[in-house]
Amino acid sequence: MTILIKNGTIVTAQGSSQADVLVDGETIAAILAPGERTLGVDLAASVDRVIDATGKYVVPGGIDGHTHMEMPFGGTVASDSFETGTRAAAWGGTTTIIDFAVQKQGERVQDCLAEWHRKADGNCAIDYGFHQVVGGVDADSLKAMDELVDEGVTTFKLFMAYPGVFLSSDGQILQAMQQASGNGAMIMMHAENGSAIDVLVAQALAEGKTDPKYHSLTRPWETEAEATNRAIMLARMTGAPLYIVHMSAKQAVNVLQAHKDEGWNVFGETCPQYLYLSLEDQLSQPGFEGAKWVCSTPLRSKAEEHQEELWRYLRTNDLSVISTDHCPFCFKEQKEMGVGDFSKIPNGIGSVEHRMDLIYQGVVDGRISLQRWVELCSTTPARMFGLYGRKGDIRPGFDADIVIYDPAGRTEIGYHKTHHMNMDHSAWEGVVIDGHVDTVLSRGKVVIDDNEYHGAKGDGVFLKRGLSQYLI
Ligand code: URP
Ligand code: ZN
Ligand code: ZN
């Protein structure tokens, strides 16, 4: 199949230009500037399909580097399967996800990764890779990290939270970082002081504070900033690069910035929920409603003014990536597990479908540039996670993962409107975006067009990833 995308404005991390894109099979064959549009032949007549992108942006498909499809967590399982979650991602202009395979203490890392392959294989609408959670750092799992790097799983997530479930001690973290510094992998860190949080949670519950808002009030910014500093200090001892996931506290990013400025190889990720949602407006809604927004790190107080600072850190590249941390749970029966005890609410928000739109709104609102939108949502994740060369840019030879985005369009987010995730509610109900994902190509196949899905499960393949381009 050959496709010519005509008359659009190509937007990449480097800049914007009026040019056409020729797709041949699964890859981009050529970028044709106005003067060379014909290549000596009537291209429009000779290709299988012409897409007119007049007035629209032609951008690389989104890469969501942080998702949890069908992950067992908090006594239940995240409600999107690889099939439903990746299809929803495609609707929203995301053409690659990197999901977290999970290992817990006592399990073989290789078996856990095999289980994630089994769940995803043949089911995904878009391409996918895996990070590996190492919940039990020991001699075997350290050795397994080397094996996984050879298999294209080059990033490992550790937890400083959830004692007894995922938490690694400082010594275990140090050992995993030493291993990573030897094999070129990158450590991703859930940076919250889990032991302190557990004490605050027990004290709140003992005082009868059981509502969802106490999830945030028992995870104050100090728990994130302290853990961020500790994680970076440990990484400094080993020389391993470090990527802090789902950062929500401005003070934690300030810590990261200070180490970055000293030249250390540390990176920060934030998520749309921390840029738009808050303790006051969402988590504190009456009754049990706030449970919809329980996630960790938590939504923070508007009064503390984190959101403006996070946008600023995105502009200055102290935060380098925007992912969703898509971890959906239904309200009925799943979130409701925490009625009367906020600590039993499964942690997570579903956003995989809306990230490109939500962050585009940041362009409309004048918070980031168009190019930075593409960089944060596609190009840097590709470079960060060893996919650049294939993903994250519009260049000849790259996979034809392309989104045609209409800046004159409008997207109303809501459960009965744009929602395709397997959830019984939307954390983004009623949000309106001044733009619209019109057409999505995933490796050359038009999967979204005219508000219809044209893909199929199994279109997406596993991506064996290389090492991060940000290693030194
Ligand atoms: O609340 C969250 N973030 N759930 C997913 C698990 C994690 O820590 O990323
Ligand atoms: Zn986490
Ligand atoms: Zn996560």
Side-chain angles (χ1 to χ4, degrees):
M1 179 92 176
T2 48
I3 300 176
L4 183 65
I5 303 171
K6 277 187 70 157
N7 304 325
T9 303
I10 299 178
V11 181
T12 68
Q14 285 79 39
S16 307
S17 59
Q18 295 291 320
D20 298 346
V21 182
L22 180 64
V23 173
D24 187 0
E26 297 192 349
T27 56
I28 295 168
I31 311 292
L32 305 159
E36 43 184 30
R37 267 191 172 133
T38 61
L39 283 183
V41 288
D42 184 0
L43 264 184
S46 63
V47 294
D48 297 312
R49 179 166 176 190
V50 176
I51 299 175
D52 184 7
T54 303
K56 299 178 184 168
Y57 299 129
V58 178
V59 302
I63 299 174
D64 190 339
H66 189 154
T67 69
H68 301 281
M69 304 302 174
E70 47 192 293
M71 177 177 75
F73 191 51
T76 184
V77 179
S79 59
D80 262 319
S81 64
F82 278 91
E83 182 182 349
T84 62
T86 55
R87 193 169 56 220
W91 273 102
T94 284
T95 51
T96 302
I97 61 160
I98 311 178
D99 201 83
F100 286 83
V102 176
Q103 180 254 0
K104 294 210 268 323
Q105 210 170 353
E107 297 173 341
R108 262 186 94 239
V109 171
Q110 295 90 335
D111 295 343
C112 300
L113 178 62
E115 172 67 2
W116 251 257
H117 274 296
R118 192 195 57 69
K119 291 196 245 196
D121 188 22
N123 289 319
C124 291
I126 54 167
D127 291 351
Y128 60 97
F130 294 128
H131 310 288
Q132 179 69 53
V133 168
V134 185
V137 177
D138 59 19
D140 286 341
S141 52
L142 288 171
K143 230 186 288 150
M145 286 171 66
D146 295 348
E147 250 180 69
L148 263 60
V149 168
D150 293 338
E151 292 176 24
V153 177
T154 53
T155 36
F156 297 87
K157 184 181 179 192
L158 303 176
F159 285 78
M160 302 169 97
Y162 306 122
V165 186
F166 288 128
L167 182 139
S168 293
S169 68
D170 292 350
Q172 287 174 312
I173 291 169
L174 190 76
Q175 284 178 296
M177 287 172 167
Q178 286 171 334
Q179 198 77 16
S181 78
N183 65 24
M186 188 163 64
I187 296 294
M188 306 171 81
M189 188 62 74
H190 180 127
E192 286 187 298
N193 186 323
S195 312
I197 288 168
D198 270 12
V199 169
L200 297 175
V201 168
Q203 288 171 348
L205 290 173
E207 290 167 24
K209 296 172 175 166
T210 61
D211 289 347
K213 70 177 178 192
Y214 291 105
H215 174 75
S216 177
L217 295 171
T218 54
R219 303 174 103 87
W221 64 260
E222 287 89 343
T223 61
E224 185 183 338
E226 183 280 327
T228 298
N229 190 57
R230 186 156 35 101
I232 296 172
M233 285 301 187
L234 292 166
R236 286 175 61 147
M237 291 181 218
T238 67
L242 178 65
Y243 177 101
I244 314 270
V245 295
H246 49 51
M247 298 193 81
S248 62
K250 63 180 181 185
Q251 296 88 345
V253 190
N254 189 253
V255 167
L256 178 105
Q257 180 193 35
H259 293 276
K260 232 181 194 316
D261 288 353
E262 281 185 44
W264 293 96
N265 219 11
V266 289
F267 308 97
E269 165 200 271
T270 193
C271 312
Q273 51 269 34
Y274 306 123
L275 297 168
Y276 291 108
L277 311 178
S278 69
L279 166 65
E280 291 88 345
D281 291 341
Q282 278 79 28
L283 258 182
S284 303
Q285 286 193 10
F288 191 63
E289 274 298 292
K292 292 175 182 171
W293 296 280
V294 164
C295 61
S296 295
T297 61
L299 300 189
R300 301 214 174 268
S301 169
K302 259 189 357 193
E304 291 175 358
E305 297 180 342
H306 297 275
Q307 292 178 1
E308 278 304 319
E309 286 296 283
L310 294 182
W311 282 109
R312 191 176 63 76
Y313 284 127
L314 285 167
R315 281 198 298 280
T316 56
N317 203 32
D318 293 297
L319 289 169
S320 311
V321 170
I322 302 179
S323 309
T324 56
D325 192 9
H326 177 76
C327 191
F329 295 104
C330 288
F331 192 76
K332 285 254 155 276
E333 290 177 16
Q334 294 196 296
K335 291 287 185 181
E336 280 178 354
M337 291 164 70
V339 173
D341 180 349
F342 70 87
S343 72
K344 295 202 165 59
I345 301 169
N347 287 199
I349 286 183
S351 309
V352 74
E353 186 171 353
H354 304 307
R355 183 185 60 129
M356 296 299 282
D357 281 320
L358 288 165
I359 305 309
Y360 177 72
Q361 190 62 38
V363 177
V364 176
D365 296 343
R367 295 176 182 281
I368 53 170
S369 69
L370 256 184
Q371 291 73 23
R372 187 70 180 145
W373 170 52
V374 171
E375 191 167 38
L376 288 163
C377 294
S378 181
T379 312
T380 301
R383 292 186 184 281
M384 188 69 70
F385 300 127
L387 291 170
Y388 196 76
R390 235 188 121 170
K391 308 284 190 191
D393 210 343
I394 300 210
R395 295 168 80 100
F398 275 56
D399 284 355
D401 290 353
I402 298 172
V403 175
I404 300 174
Y405 199 85
D406 183 3
R410 191 170 184 273
T411 305
E412 274 185 71
I413 302 183
Y415 181 64
H416 297 291
K417 294 193 170 141
T418 43
H419 185 105
H420 297 88
M421 301 173 284
N422 185 36
M423 299 168 71
D424 59 2
H425 66 281
S426 171
W428 300 97
E429 193 69 44
V431 171
V432 177
I433 306 295
D434 299 309
H436 188 256
V437 172
D438 266 13
T439 305
V440 180
L441 279 74
S442 174
R443 261 185 301 105
K445 178 173 175 175
V446 176
V447 291
I448 300 292
D449 196 25
D450 271 341
N451 284 316
E452 271 184 43
Y453 176 64
H454 301 279
K457 76 176 197 167
D459 281 348
V461 297
F462 172 67
L463 299 167
K464 202 171 160 186
R465 293 181 296 116
L467 300 182
S468 172
Q469 285 195 352
Y470 293 97
L471 301 188
I472 42 171

